[in-house]
Amino acid sequence: MDDSAKSAAVSYTLPRYNELPDIGLYMDQVIVLADRFLTPIFGGEPVLTASMVNNYVKQKLLAPPCKKRYSREHVARLLVICVLKQVLSIPEISHLMTVMFTGVDFPEAYDEWCCMQEHAFQELSRAHCSPAKLAAISVAGKSLFQNLSES
């Protein structure tokens, strides 16, 4: 990771719930928004596609849109899914989202999740991790998650 990428990772912030649009968005708008928010941490590859969103709805990770429009909560949940899918499977994401967001104030829980992610990005960028170290951290995190989920 070069110095400019490290600097971007250290200063990167995810949008807070109240910073997300409070109007219904169409699929194309949601995809553009997700790419805008997540490209700085995941690079130039498309982060989200229409077929991915449709699959998340089919798999019940995401509620269906209302009259083809996606709400602020839809966008927030999609951002969580996009970040988590980098290291977790869909069933693992489903389980984790149920644990994180059931029976709590969603906007508050989402904002707390954003803070945790930003802290993790900052710690990793300060650790001067090589790709091998990042892969090891990812595997260790996934293993820990699976062990916690089974207990």
Side-chain angles (χ1 to χ4, degrees), residues 35-87:
D35 281 343
R36 182 181 313 145
F37 290 137
L38 298 177
T39 295
I41 54 174
F42 297 125
E45 292 293 317
V47 177
L48 188 63
T49 65
S51 62
M52 293 164 95
V53 175
N54 290 330
N55 284 333
Y56 300 150
V57 171
K58 286 179 190 172
Q59 295 172 5
K60 306 216 186 297
L61 277 175
L62 190 67
C66 182
K67 297 180 183 177
K68 296 187 179 185
R69 291 186 180 253
Y70 294 84
S71 68
R72 178 187 284 181
E73 185 169 330
H74 281 110
V75 174
R77 288 180 181 274
L78 281 167
L79 293 175
V80 171
I81 292 166
C82 288
V83 171
L84 294 178
K85 76 177 181 130
Q86 304 303 312
V87 293

Side-chain angles (χ1 to χ4, degrees), residues 55-122:
N55 284 333
Y56 300 150
V57 171
K58 286 179 190 172
Q59 295 172 5
K60 306 216 186 297
L61 277 175
L62 190 67
C66 182
K67 297 180 183 177
K68 296 187 179 185
R69 291 186 180 253
Y70 294 84
S71 68
R72 178 187 284 181
E73 185 169 330
H74 281 110
V75 174
R77 288 180 181 274
L78 281 167
L79 293 175
V80 171
I81 292 166
C82 288
V83 171
L84 294 178
K85 76 177 181 130
Q86 304 303 312
V87 293
L88 298 176
S89 68
I90 295 298
E92 291 167 334
I93 293 170
S94 177
H95 174 73
L96 185 57
M97 289 182 70
T98 299
V99 170
M100 289 189 313
F101 300 129
T102 300
V104 298
D105 179 56
F106 180 80
E108 187 178 308
Y110 168 78
D111 286 350
E112 184 178 320
W113 176 83
C114 287
C115 289
M116 288 186 290
Q117 287 303 309
E118 291 162 2
H119 181 74
F121 294 144
Q122 291 167 0

Side-chain angles (χ1 to χ4, degrees), residues 116-137:
M116 288 186 290
Q117 287 303 309
E118 291 162 2
H119 181 74
F121 294 144
Q122 291 167 0
E123 289 300 315
L124 286 173
S125 67
R126 282 194 283 265
H128 305 292
C129 288
S130 67
K133 283 184 184 177
L134 288 174
I137 290 167

